[in-house]
Amino acid sequence: MNKIPKLLQLILVVGGIYCAFVLVFDVILQQVIPNSLLNMYMFFIAAGVLAVYTFTEEGTEELLAPIKALVENPDKVRTRNIVFVLTPLVVAAYIYSQLLPSIEAPVELRSIHPAPPSSVKIYGKRYDLKTLENPYRVLETEDPEKFRELVSTGADIYIQNCHFCHGDKLDGQGPYAAGLNPVPLNFQDVGTIAQLQESFLFWRIATGGPGLPDEAAPWISSMPIWQDFLSEDEIWQVILYLYDYTGRRPRSWEE
Amino acid sequence: MRASEMTKLILLLSIVTMASLPPMAFSLDGDSESGERIYLKRCVGCHGVDGDGLGPGSERLIPPPRDFTSGMFKIMSTAFDGYIPQDQDIYEMIRIGMPGTAMPGWEDILSEQNMWDLVAYIKIFPGFDEEQAGPAVEYGEPIPSSAESIEKGRELFLQDDRCSECHGKDGKGDAIKRLLGDNGERTWPRNLTKPWTFRHSNDQKDIFTRISVGIPGTQMPSFADPGSKKMLSVEDRWHVANYVKSLAKTVRVVNAENTVIKSLRVEGSVPAEVDDEIWEQAIPSSFFLVPQIIVKDRHFTPSNDTVTVRSVFSADEIAILLEWDDRTKSLPGDEDAQKIADPEVLHQDMVSIQLPITVPEGMEKPYFVKGDTENPVNLWQWASGTTTEPQSTSLVKAAGFGTETELATDSLKASGAYESGTWRVVFRRSLSTESSDDLQIQEGIFIPIAFSAWDGSNGESGTKNTLTTWYWITLESESTALPFIGALIALFLVIGLEMLWLRNGAGRRNPST
């Protein structure tokens, strides 16, 4: 480490973090971070790293040594001249590009799995989401045959109502998914139903997009309000099907 | 002697068998029992337990799921008088699915072996497991695409109304006749300018195959049928395939990244007509139209699929041009229009632009389906008229479904024109109005915008329509000198700092001076 000048180290660390961000979000996750947000993160990271490097007086001196040398060392006049001409040009170009009117769409951040309310009114009744359970779950062990039957009714409900958006493979790629924003959720993904309790799904399905709290931007979600179309039983059955088809388990209260 | 004759015979036999194998030949042996297990888990919802296409999901699908017991397969490469598809054909449909329908591709969750197992199982329904498919289509020598070949193809396409009879003179599938599939379901001739809706693909060779075989179960005929007056030679089929491929309209493809409509500043006044030259300069943005399956009454069988938007504005007005493919010009009262309508009630074609009444400050927008009580929306609506009524334009305020109220307006105008399968409608409005129930439009900000469309021949009216989610429209602000001045200030500031530093540094180097 000591071989590399401190200044270069600093540049490498900040540049490395930037590249890692771009690599992870843009390339691997395919979830491009909006520029404004990335700029803000990078500002804090650069400030943090700088604070670490200038913690002691020697640290600061070491860091600045190459810059000082540039001005004070007569052997480096040529490099100095180049740097001194380029720097103002780069800064000017940056300012110019920042002041041009933006055509990037405004950023919309929404929480995908907001905290559920503790109790909700559905079908004109109050449900306490903390204690609510799928009344049919017990049949899985107590009466497997009846359970299979209910899963299969759930499958029918799903194929008649949900596959248009969530896809017949439950992968969020239904025939109309491409025209929706936010996209219908992918139930095969470990980040959705496998992380959730069945009562959460009951709330989400019964109240749909408009039932979301503000931080989840209810006004853009196309998820329908299913209490207008399905009965309470039907919702529980379609939930059984979601877990059965994907082979996932609902999160239970103990976890 | 006898031994060498035997070898000859064996050699001959093996050459004959090799030659009679289908040309793409690669296939795995499917295990129909494993196929059945997979089928029961993943396919019954649509194709039914008995393979009859009557699964619980089938009612809400157009086209309906395939009835395997009928032995009819749409995508087939068996030469025209054969009726059994090659195994590879069935395999490909399972692997990549059928775009533009509910039939998905399965390659991302099923292994190759599993998909062959399904092929083996599906073939049992029509009894194809016991029969042999006939020879595949003859491809001859493919003719590479060239301006000449495309021109030849175009002539053959139009000759005696060969293809244009159904696909329309520009290939947009604008229906002239009511076409039904073998099971009585409505079918539409494909819009050949939208290759992403092809059931198979718009690969030159695949188009050649479709032209040669036709699409069984629909009215798309085989053009290799020697009994047909419109038959095409192998060579001519390649020319037509090249022409069909050249129809793909690339500017109107939906680009998921593009969510902002940029309104272009123009001198003078904004265009009032759809064919004004200025529209060539405006940047098109295309969006998917999704059927309204969110609130009652739902609509599961849409026909419109995308809308393309362009916009320009002047010092005091904005114009927005909407363009969408609609196979039918729905004119209530007109006999010809009535004949191709489905179901029998014929409504007007309509389109609307949805805008918030006040541009949101923060993130919150009106609910994307017609707004909500706290955040009402404006709807700019246009209807195509009937034989007795002219086209009409209206301004509507809505705060949720069912709350639409019409407002009086004299600043909103619209006019539309239909040509070979495409509607184009231009809306015009002054940027600002006197009414507090109107959106006031300003430059340089992002305004949410959404669209809806109705195809009156497809039973669409009221809540039965297609719609988009929120996108944005922005009027480019006048270019100012600000960025330039800013850059200049920065430039001098940095140079100044450098000078200062140099003097100090130089001072330190020679402390004596």
Side-chain angles (χ1 to χ4, degrees):
Chain A
M1 261 314 239
N2 275 339
K3 296 274 157 52
I4 313 174
K6 278 260 164 98
L7 186 65
L8 193 59
Q9 277 179 32
L10 185 123
I11 293 171
L12 285 180
V13 169
V14 177
I17 294 178
Y18 179 82
C19 292
F21 260 125
V22 172
L23 189 75
V24 170
F25 285 93
D26 295 14
V27 181
I28 300 177
L29 296 180
Q30 300 272 324
Q31 282 265 315
V32 180
I33 319 182
N35 270 339
S36 50
L37 200 68
L38 187 62
N39 287 348
M40 195 172 76
Y41 287 161
M42 286 317 297
F43 175 79
F44 284 117
I45 287 164
V49 174
L50 201 65
V52 171
Y53 274 84
T54 55
F55 192 64
T56 61
E57 199 132 318
E58 300 95 79
T60 318
E61 246 160 53
E62 228 181 290
L63 189 70
L64 294 179
I67 303 180
K68 266 207 188 124
L70 198 62
V71 189
E72 293 170 10
N73 187 342
D75 300 343
K76 291 199 175 163
V77 170
R78 176 182 291 202
T79 335
R80 184 196 70 193
N81 287 349
I82 295 176
V83 171
F84 271 33
V85 170
L86 284 184
T87 315
L89 288 179
V90 169
V91 172
Y94 177 76
I95 298 286
Y96 183 79
S97 70
Q98 288 297 303
L99 289 178
L100 280 180
S102 144
I103 44 156
E104 216 183 310
V107 191
E108 294 185 292
L109 294 170
R110 62 184 284 276
S111 138
I112 295 174
H113 293 127
S118 55
S119 85
V120 280
K121 206 160 168 200
I122 302 171
Y123 298 113
K125 288 184 274 178
R126 278 246 152 242
Y127 288 82
D128 184 352
L129 292 183
K130 291 231 174 61
T131 55
L132 187 64
E133 281 182 46
N134 191 335
Y136 299 119
R137 183 57 66 188
V138 290
L139 297 178
E140 195 170 12
T141 44
E142 287 172 10
D143 186 353
E145 204 173 305
K146 177 86 187 141
F147 185 78
R148 296 306 323 157
E149 221 172 84
L150 292 172
V151 169
S152 138
T153 328
D156 295 358
I157 297 164
Y158 184 87
I159 206 81
Q160 285 166 352
N161 296 289
C162 321
H163 88 89
F164 305 98
C165 299
H166 293 285
D168 27 14
K169 291 179 281 182
L170 277 63
D171 55 1
Q173 310 266 330
Y176 304 125
L180 301 172
N181 175 24
V183 289
L185 286 171
N186 170 356
F187 303 132
Q188 301 276 6
D189 190 286
V190 285
T192 62
I193 58 173
Q195 300 292 324
L196 303 169
Q197 275 130 2
E198 290 185 284
S199 61
F200 185 94
L201 292 196
F202 182 79
W203 162 60
R204 284 307 325 275
I205 296 171
T207 65
L212 286 165
D214 277 3
E215 73 259 31
W219 45 87
I220 50 175
S221 167
S222 57
M223 172 70 177
I225 305 173
W226 290 103
Q227 58 175 326
D228 293 349
F229 299 94
L230 302 176
S231 71
E232 189 177 342
D233 274 350
E234 286 173 322
I235 294 184
W236 288 122
Q237 287 156 6
V238 81
I239 293 176
L240 293 184
Y241 173 72
L242 297 185
Y243 286 104
D244 185 78
Y245 191 91
T246 55
R248 307 245 174 243
R249 301 295 307 167
R251 206 162 135 186
S252 61
W253 290 111
E254 293 82 65
E255 284 167 56
Chain B
M1 282 283 270
R2 290 193 62 170
S4 83
E5 262 172 18
M6 272 297 274
T7 8
K8 265 191 197 159
L9 194 70
I10 292 173
L11 206 71
L12 198 74
L13 269 177
S14 48
I15 290 174
V16 170
T17 24
M18 293 232 307
S20 64
L21 280 178
M24 326 86 151
F26 177 74
S27 69
L28 297 177
D29 270 335
D31 166 7
S32 60
E33 273 168 39
S34 147
E36 178 174 15
R37 276 194 301 279
I38 304 166
Y39 183 86
L40 290 176
K41 168 154 187 184
R42 307 197 186 267
C43 320
V44 288
C46 295
H47 294 288
V49 182
D50 304 321
D52 53 9
L54 295 178
S58 62
E59 266 167 50
R60 290 179 174 161
L61 300 178
I62 286 273
R66 184 73 60 257
D67 168 3
F68 296 128
T69 62
S70 73
M72 183 275 284
F73 287 85
K74 277 192 183 174
I75 302 302
M76 185 165 88
S77 60
T78 304
F80 103 94
D81 48 357
Y83 57 95
I84 302 183
Q86 313 291 324
D87 287 0
Q88 188 76 28
D89 293 337
I90 306 181
Y91 175 78
E92 278 298 293
M93 286 305 102
I94 297 175
R95 189 175 73 84
I96 56 177
M98 302 178 85
T101 79
M103 172 69 192
W106 294 90
E107 66 178 333
D108 54 343
I109 62 172
L110 295 179
S111 68
E112 235 169 83
Q113 180 62 52
N114 283 166
M115 291 189 281
W116 282 111
D117 295 346
L118 281 165
V119 173
Y121 181 65
I122 285 174
K123 278 169 61 184
I124 296 177
F125 291 117
F128 288 172
D129 51 330
E130 288 167 0
E131 288 178 72
Q132 195 62 47
V137 172
E138 299 266 350
Y139 290 95
E141 193 60 34
I143 297 173
S145 186
S146 65
E148 233 171 278
S149 164
I150 289 175
E151 180 51 30
K152 249 190 216 147
R154 196 182 71 86
E155 281 162 18
L156 294 164
F157 187 93
L158 297 171
Q159 185 189 62
D160 299 330
D161 233 6
R162 183 178 275 115
C163 311
S164 42
E165 176 195 359
C166 295
H167 291 283
K169 71 174 172 46
D170 296 338
K172 287 193 208 144
D174 34 326
I176 306 145
K177 311 198 261 188
R178 189 184 164 85
L179 296 180
L180 299 181
D182 281 3
N183 297 327
E185 83 282 9
R186 186 74 197 257
T187 60
W188 300 99
R190 197 80 65 249
N191 182 339
L192 301 175
T193 65
K194 292 184 169 169
W196 64 92
T197 62
F198 281 23
R199 295 296 176 265
H200 193 188
S201 85
N202 85 325
D203 204 63
Q204 186 206 23
K205 189 175 167 197
D206 288 329
I207 299 173
F208 178 93
T209 315
R210 294 294 84 68
I211 301 174
S212 306
V213 180
I215 301 187
T218 77
Q219 267 146 326
M220 167 79 191
S222 157
F223 289 91
D225 175 356
S228 158
K229 271 195 277 178
K230 295 184 181 171
M231 185 199 163
L232 291 166
S233 67
V234 172
E235 194 191 319
D236 285 349
R237 275 178 262 149
W238 283 114
H239 293 310
V240 176
N242 287 334
Y243 172 63
V244 170
K245 193 164 166 74
S246 76
L247 289 172
K249 282 266 163 50
T250 42
V251 311
R252 288 174 48 200
V253 173
V254 177
N255 167 9
E257 312 256 292
N258 177 13
T259 55
V260 181
I261 302 158
K262 286 154 209 108
S263 190
L264 183 78
R265 176 188 301 274
V266 292
E267 296 302 323
S269 59
V270 300
E273 296 302 329
V274 296
D275 40 20
D276 199 293
E277 271 164 26
I278 265 189
W279 293 119
E280 311 265 308
Q281 293 165 35
I283 311 160
S285 305
S286 296
F287 309 115
F288 283 115
L289 286 166
V290 174
Q292 196 291 100
I293 51 173
I294 299 161
V295 301
K296 279 181 184 165
D297 292 322
R298 292 179 287 172
H299 181 51
F300 293 100
T301 51
S303 61
N304 295 331
D305 56 2
T306 53
V307 56
T308 300
V309 188
R310 292 175 173 83
S311 176
V312 297
F313 71 101
S314 67
D316 49 14
E317 272 193 312
I318 183 167
I320 301 178
L321 174 72
L322 305 185
E323 179 178 354
W324 73 102
D325 292 337
D326 176 340
R327 298 189 153 93
T328 47
K329 181 178 182 186
S330 314
L331 198 63
D334 183 74
E335 263 178 48
D336 289 337
Q338 185 66 59
K339 268 187 217 142
I340 50 174
D342 193 27
E344 270 69 56
V345 202
L346 180 60
H347 302 282
Q348 303 180 47
D349 286 331
M350 296 206 306
V351 77
S352 86
I353 298 178
Q354 175 177 297
L355 295 156
I357 289 180
T358 37
V359 177
E361 294 276 333
M363 238 182 52
E364 181 166 359
K365 295 177 199 166
Y367 183 47
F368 81 103
V369 191
K370 302 232 171 145
D372 51 70
T373 38
E374 276 147 54
N375 305 286
V377 293
N378 268 165
L379 299 169
W380 299 359
Q381 286 188 331
W382 169 91
S384 64
T386 68
T387 41
T388 49
E389 306 263 330
Q391 298 182 359
S392 60
T393 310
S394 53
L395 175 64
V396 170
K397 177 181 175 180
F401 244 123
T403 64
E404 297 90 337
T405 41
E406 195 169 332
L407 306 174
T409 174
D410 31 58
S411 56
L412 181 68
K413 299 191 181 63
S415 108
Y418 186 80
E419 207 204 316
S420 60
T422 303
W423 270 117
R424 283 184 301 162
V425 174
V426 56
F427 284 89
R428 261 181 315 146
R429 211 205 72 179
S430 49
L431 293 176
S432 53
T433 68
E434 303 286 297
S435 162
S436 62
D437 276 335
D438 269 345
L439 168 73
Q440 305 303 319
I441 299 170
Q442 289 164 19
E443 288 171 26
I445 53 168
F446 285 82
I447 304 170
I449 188 168
F451 308 90
S452 307
W454 289 258
D455 176 1
S457 305
N458 189 37
E460 298 181 11
S461 74
T463 61
K464 299 206 175 232
N465 70 349
T466 46
L467 47 85
T468 73
T469 65
W470 282 122
Y471 293 96
W472 304 98
I473 185 167
T474 183
L475 282 54
E476 56 168 15
S477 17
E478 196 137 34
S479 48
T480 60
L482 184 72
F484 192 65
I485 296 172
L488 267 188
I489 295 176
L491 190 75
F492 285 120
L493 214 66
V494 178
I495 293 179
L497 281 174
E498 281 175 354
M499 291 302 169
L500 210 68
W501 189 16
L502 263 187
R503 291 188 57 179
N504 284 348
R508 217 169 305 149
R509 212 179 332 138
N510 302 327
S512 54
T513 48

